[in-house]
Amino acid sequence: MRIIISLFLLSFLTGCQLLTASNNVRYLTVLHTNDNHGRFWHNESGEYGMAARKTLIDQLRNDAEKNGHSVVLLSGGDINTGVPESDLQIAEPDFKGMSIIGYDAMAIGNHEFDNPLSVLDKQIAWSNFPLLSANIIDKKTQQPAYQTYTIINKGQLKIAVVGLTTVDTAKIANPQYIGHLDFITPAKATQPLVDMIKTKYQPDVVVAVTHMGHYHDANHGINAPGDVTLARSLKPNTLDMIIGGHSQEPICVDKNGDPDASFSAGKACWPDKQNGTWIMQAHEWGKYVGKAVFKIEENKKTLISYELVPVNLKNEQGDFIADEIKKDKTLYEFLLPYQQKGAEKLAGAVGSINAFLDGSRDLVRFEQSKLADLIINAQTEAVGADFGIISGGGIRASMNAGDVNYKDILTVHPFKNRVAYIDWQGPELIEYLSIVGSFPPDAGAYLQYHKIDFSIVNSKAVIKSINGKEFDINATYRMSINSYNAAGGDGYPILTEKKGFQNTDSTDAQVLRAYIEKYSPIDVNTL
């Protein structure tokens, strides 16, 4: 009898142990997007848009929760700048749309500094989720300028989320807005912060939401180091995952860890892993929602599935790659007045051009472009300059042949930079061009110039002619430039305090509009 009771008790206790072990297994579904860039509304082909994104995220969230998963929704930043309807309303529909969708946190991206900081303050107030960055430091106080982390409780899980921003922001954001801020090395900010968080909160999962870019095998080139460098610079197991942005790519690798060149919408994707840290990014514009499912047992986190779910993307034939996702009615009706208000401001042609002007980053950051010639023609005429320059990264879109409306212009020029000029003496101009003419291709700083013929020889500018006339080193020449580059943007020498420098009240978009209105129809072959 005692043997039977003993066997019964042993069986009961074993069952309890198995039940406890089973209860210790938890699941986390991480949903993520990045680089929204004003795409609160679907495009002309009905692709992406926040209303369809909400329908998809609601479905993914509900399915995960039905299976007992905790769910967190994160963004890799850059909500601002890219679509005029959004830009004209300082991304109010985008931030409020994200709040309705139910984001839990986001990284502060470099484009969050495209406007005066009072605008970013408004955007933070519009958001019911935190905007995070641990490596932006106020120079005066030597304290973080923004919220550095948040603790999110989801079901049985405690999730710590730390934010980080590319240090390139110091040169690619508007210097007039960020001069009082330092952007320190991400790993330097992250390691002590995560150590403190683990000691104080004992989180189950630690995530970094970043806006720094993914550069395979840490080959970041002229860009600031990104997520791979961060993961490799930290002690192992400091971060469980990095949800990134900035390089605007789907991060997919093959079984050897090499970039998966075969990935396209609807195909399988597997994220990068460095030093024990998973690194994920969902391309751009809300084209995809990334979905990662983790099994968490004791201190072990195992990624059991990953996919990039397309949001109404179409193939070359114009058909949806997957079943069409219906737009969430409530969010659609909330966003519609913003879209209508923006469209009203942009309606109507202002002029025309007779051929396509390529403004793609693959061109304007590598070679001289006709679109840059048009832009510089407008700016030199506006300020009476002999020649002009802009950085290639300041051109954000192409212009199609035919009618041009104000939306087209604002898509090319979304930053509201003012047109400025400086009067140069010959020797000073040579010194300046020796610097800006040496920026390499594949950089936002790559120099676009017009009405001047020069070359770099042994690191020194050799000027042949300006505005069709032979260069005279004893003469004075007026150069047009925008306020961003003049203030040191993209690493250009600062001109704002130099004698002969003058800002105007006209923006680059206003000046380009006036030029197109005046000279239409424009023959691009004469630029």
Side-chain angles (χ1 to χ4, degrees), residues 366-397:
F366 288 85
E367 59 185 271
Q368 297 302 298
S369 76
K370 284 286 188 178
L371 180 52
D373 293 345
L374 174 63
I375 290 167
I376 294 171
N377 276 349
Q379 295 184 5
T380 55
E381 177 165 306
V383 297
D386 300 296
F387 74 100
I389 66 169
I390 56 173
S391 58
I395 301 173
R396 307 302 288 193

Side-chain angles (χ1 to χ4, degrees), residues 108 112-121 124 135-146 169-171 173-184 487 494:
I108 295 176
E112 270 62 86
F113 298 98
D114 287 345
N115 303 294
L117 296 191
S118 59
V119 172
L120 180 53
D121 291 340
I124 291 171
N135 67 315
I136 304 177
I137 306 299
D138 186 299
K139 291 179 180 178
K140 181 179 291 187
T141 66
Q142 288 302 301
Q143 296 298 312
Y146 296 95
T169 306
K171 64 179 182 181
N174 194 321
Q176 299 173 80
Y177 305 146
I178 62 167
H180 66 296
L181 299 175
D182 269 335
F183 295 79
I184 66 172
I494 297 172

Side-chain angles (χ1 to χ4, degrees), residues 434-441 443 445-447 490-493:
S434 298
I435 298 171
V436 299
S438 297
F439 289 121
Y446 177 76
L447 183 69
D490 275 332
Y492 278 48

Side-chain angles (χ1 to χ4, degrees), residues 252-289:
C252 305
V253 301
D254 61 22
K255 61 182 180 180
N256 299 317
D258 297 320
D260 184 356
S262 68
F263 174 78
S264 61
K267 292 187 177 181
C269 177
W270 194 246
D272 196 7
K273 191 175 187 181
Q274 299 287 330
N275 196 25
T277 300
W278 291 103
I279 304 174
M280 308 170 196
Q281 189 177 153
H283 201 186
E284 62 184 1
W285 304 356
K287 293 178 178 178
Y288 299 89
V289 173

Side-chain angles (χ1 to χ4, degrees), residues 117-259:
L117 296 191
S118 59
V119 172
L120 180 53
D121 291 340
K122 284 184 180 180
Q123 293 169 342
I124 291 171
W126 289 332
S127 305
N128 59 11
F129 55 89
L131 281 66
L132 304 174
S133 185
N135 67 315
I136 304 177
I137 306 299
D138 186 299
K139 291 179 180 178
K140 181 179 291 187
T141 66
Q142 288 302 301
Q143 296 298 312
Y146 296 95
Q147 185 173 339
T148 57
Y149 72 95
T150 188
I151 304 296
I152 302 170
N153 293 297
K154 294 281 186 175
Q156 299 178 339
L157 293 175
K158 183 183 293 182
I159 304 160
V161 182
V162 173
L164 296 164
T165 305
T166 175
V167 299
D168 270 348
T169 306
K171 64 179 182 181
I172 61 179
N174 194 321
Q176 299 173 80
Y177 305 146
I178 62 167
H180 66 296
L181 299 175
D182 269 335
F183 295 79
I184 66 172
T185 304
K188 181 179 179 182
T190 302
Q191 191 70 65
L193 179 60
V194 173
D195 290 345
M196 180 279 292
I197 289 170
K198 288 184 175 181
T199 300
K200 184 174 181 179
Y201 297 100
Q202 294 85 47
D204 300 292
V205 179
V206 181
V207 183
V209 287
T210 72
H211 193 82
M212 306 194 308
H214 174 269
Y215 308 107
H216 186 75
D217 201 26
N219 294 319
H220 56 86
I222 60 172
N223 302 294
D227 295 333
V228 173
T229 301
L230 172 67
R232 292 178 177 180
S233 300
L234 299 171
K235 293 183 293 188
N237 302 314
T238 297
L239 299 172
D240 295 307
M241 70 193 82
I242 295 171
I243 303 299
H246 188 52
S247 50
Q248 297 180 222
E249 62 174 338
I251 299 177
C252 305
V253 301
D254 61 22
K255 61 182 180 180
N256 299 317
D258 297 320

Side-chain angles (χ1 to χ4, degrees), residues 355-371:
F356 174 71
L357 290 174
D358 192 348
S360 65
R361 63 190 291 142
D362 291 339
L363 176 73
V364 299
R365 298 179 182 221
F366 288 85
E367 59 185 271
Q368 297 302 298
S369 76
K370 284 286 188 178
L371 180 52

Side-chain angles (χ1 to χ4, degrees), residues 225 299 317 437:
N299 291 322
Q317 291 73 42

